[in-house]
Amino acid sequence: MRILIVEDEKRLCAALTQIMREQKYAVDAVCDGEDGYQYARSGEYDAVILDVMLPKRSGFEVVKALRREKIATPVLMLTARDELESKISGLDCGADDYMTKPFAPEELTARIRALTRRQGEVVLEEMTYEDVALELNSCDLRCGAKRIRLSFKEFEVMKLLLATPSTILPKEQLIVKVWGAESDAADNNVEAYISFLRKKLFYIGSRVTIQTVRKLGYKLGTE
Amino acid sequence: MRILIVEDEKRLCAALTQIMREQKYAVDAVCDGEDGYQYARSGEYDAVILDVMLPKRSGFEVVKALRREKIATPVLMLTARDELESKISGLDCGADDYMTKPFAPEELTARIRALTRRQGEVVLEEMTYEDVALELNSCDLRCGAKRIRLSFKEFEVMKLLLATPSTILPKEQLIVKVWGAESDAADNNVEAYISFLRKKLFYIGSRVTIQTVRKLGYKLGTE
DNA sequence: CCCGTAGCTGAAAAAACGCTGAAAACAGGA
DNA sequence: TCCTGTTTTCAGCGTTTTTTCAGCTACGGG
């Protein structure tokens, strides 16, 4: 779940971000109405938390503009207490809910839950190199019609290789990114996984290979 | 536009009725939870204003009962100020919005406008994937002529799986969306329901399967 | 051509993860 | 209240993933 926070007051913005992150939302935060509008119109968010008083464009303008473009992302407006007029115009502009400052974190999260309850999300993506594709949503490695499921760590390693297809990926970096900096994984762990991946690449009949660069690391190539 | 008001405090009830009538809504008012429930389940209202503290059945019970019967009429809950817990449970129970007492008439009308605006949304009859269909009104899972009733949680889980058929649905997300973010449901709860659903999919003879993606979650697929 | 280092890989052990049947706890309706 | 269907809990089991290890191969420098 992705949340966009549009709030110019630095401290509040940081607080909001933290609260939502704790609830496992992916948060982006911007601090003026123009940026808020530009980000929100991408349509990639599951909800927007929008202050009314903002530099450049007010929260009202932002919602109105979004709705005019048929962007239906739920919007929760933030208003100062005693700005009843704001509340009303906010809802009439097309916001889905509003909340007065200050507020309890629980209230915020409950409201966002209510707003996002009806959402579904669809993101399709894959990384490719030559004739192989790594399907990020299923962890499948595919070549033509043949496919095979990768385990979690295999997937992580393959992802890193595909991320920088032309450059050499040092073992050290693989260890840090896949096993974590703290871990005491040895070089041989990486070698084992490279071996697994080679078998799977072979199995699906790809002409992509993982090439060893002695003393330096690995890179993708073709036979 | 027809509005149902469920409020036991006589003066408040009269005030609400008057406010809404002034806005040209057709208003029915009842004063206990049982009546509120019976009236609301007729489904003939465009919105319900529902107090939490009510004789016979609490507002929570009423919403929950309505939602269980798949009555989607928007519900605005009324709670005393400082009953944050109530607010949260209200939204989690299936209410669409809440408002604290006392409140300004303009706020009430604005909120009702917001709630009734959402009515335009298209309501899906069923969600399908390959040879299975999930009937949203009856909670039945169907494959060809064979069908089986799902329990509420089974239904919720299946709905989420169907919402993103090609992508992996993490357990974490299932817990948050089905059990609620606050809940202390364990991974095993999800596993138990996946197991139930698999049995039912098998029972109706579908070729759809729920595939496990270790460490990541579940997704739908076919044998 | 030989040696030493680096890397590879099969097999097996260890750990993590997930599945499921059964029972208990719970909730709602008659 | 009891009964029924739902949800939670738990323990044991099976599977997959991950780690480990040992023997092997490939490479490059001298």
Side-chain angles (χ1 to χ4, degrees), chain B residues 151-154 179 188-189 192-193 196 214:
Chain B
S151 81
F152 180 67
K153 282 206 159 65
E154 288 168 348
W179 280 263
N188 184 241
N189 290 59
Y193 275 89
F196 294 155
R214 226 146 203 269

Side-chain angles (χ1 to χ4, degrees), chain B residues 3-6 28 30 32-50 62-63 65-67 69-75:
Chain B
I3 303 280
L4 175 66
I5 294 173
V6 192
D28 288 343
V30 297
D32 70 56
E34 185 51 36
D35 282 355
Y37 168 63
Q38 295 300 346
Y39 276 68
R41 65 187 299 211
S42 73
E44 66 181 295
Y45 297 96
D46 298 292
V48 179
I49 299 174
L50 182 65
V62 175
V63 187
L66 290 173
R67 296 303 184 237
E69 294 187 38
K70 299 289 165 243
I71 295 187
T73 311
V75 171

Side-chain angles (χ1 to χ4, degrees), chain A residues 114-180:
Chain A
L115 285 183
T116 55
R117 200 183 339 249
R118 319 178 181 181
Q119 303 294 112
E121 51 184 314
V122 186
V123 190
L124 258 198
E125 226 181 325
E126 58 180 35
M127 299 171 79
T128 62
Y129 175 77
E130 295 288 332
D131 62 359
V132 290
L134 179 63
E135 307 193 342
L136 300 182
N137 294 308
S138 63
C139 291
D140 280 352
L141 192 64
R142 186 166 49 77
C143 173
K146 296 195 79 168
R147 63 174 59 222
I148 190 170
R149 171 69 45 87
L150 300 187
S151 83
F152 183 65
K153 282 205 160 68
E154 288 169 348
F155 175 69
E156 291 293 311
V157 172
M158 194 68 207
K159 208 162 53 175
L160 286 175
L161 284 167
L162 285 165
T164 57
S166 53
T167 66
I168 298 174
L169 185 59
K171 274 187 209 176
E172 192 47 43
Q173 205 169 124
L174 278 166
I175 291 178
V176 170
K177 297 210 175 158
V178 178
W179 279 263

Side-chain angles (χ1 to χ4, degrees), chain A residues 21 27-28 30 41 94 99 119 125 137 190 214:
Chain A
R21 291 234 163 99
V27 179
D28 288 342
V30 298
R41 64 188 298 214
M99 199 168 52
Q119 303 294 112
E125 226 181 325
N137 294 308
V190 178
R214 223 147 205 268

Side-chain angles (χ1 to χ4, degrees), chain B residues 18 32 42 63 72 77 89 94 114 124 134 136 139 150 167 174 180 186:
Chain B
Q18 198 198 333
D32 70 56
S42 73
V63 187
M77 294 263 257
S89 346
L124 287 181
L134 179 63
L136 300 180
C139 293
L150 299 188
T167 70
L174 279 165

Side-chain angles (χ1 to χ4, degrees), chain A residues 1 23 84 88 91-92 96-98 104 106-107 110-111 113 117-118 121 137-139 149 152, chain B residues 84 88 91-92 96-98 104 106-107 111 113 117-118 121 164 168 177 181 212-213 216 219:
Chain A
M1 283 293 212
Q23 303 294 317
L84 185 55
I88 296 165
L91 291 172
D92 281 344
D96 298 271
D97 196 4
Y98 71 80
E106 292 82 358
E107 180 172 350
R111 285 186 177 277
R113 272 202 300 284
R117 200 183 339 249
R118 319 178 181 181
E121 51 184 314
N137 294 308
S138 63
C139 291
R149 171 69 45 87
F152 183 65
Chain B
L84 185 56
I88 295 166
L91 291 172
D92 281 344
D96 297 271
D97 196 5
Y98 69 79
E106 293 83 355
E107 181 173 350
R111 284 185 178 278
R113 273 200 300 282
R117 194 191 356 248
R118 281 190 214 163
E121 286 176 36
T164 58
I168 297 176
K177 294 201 178 169
T212 304
V213 184
L216 294 176
K219 72 192 272 285

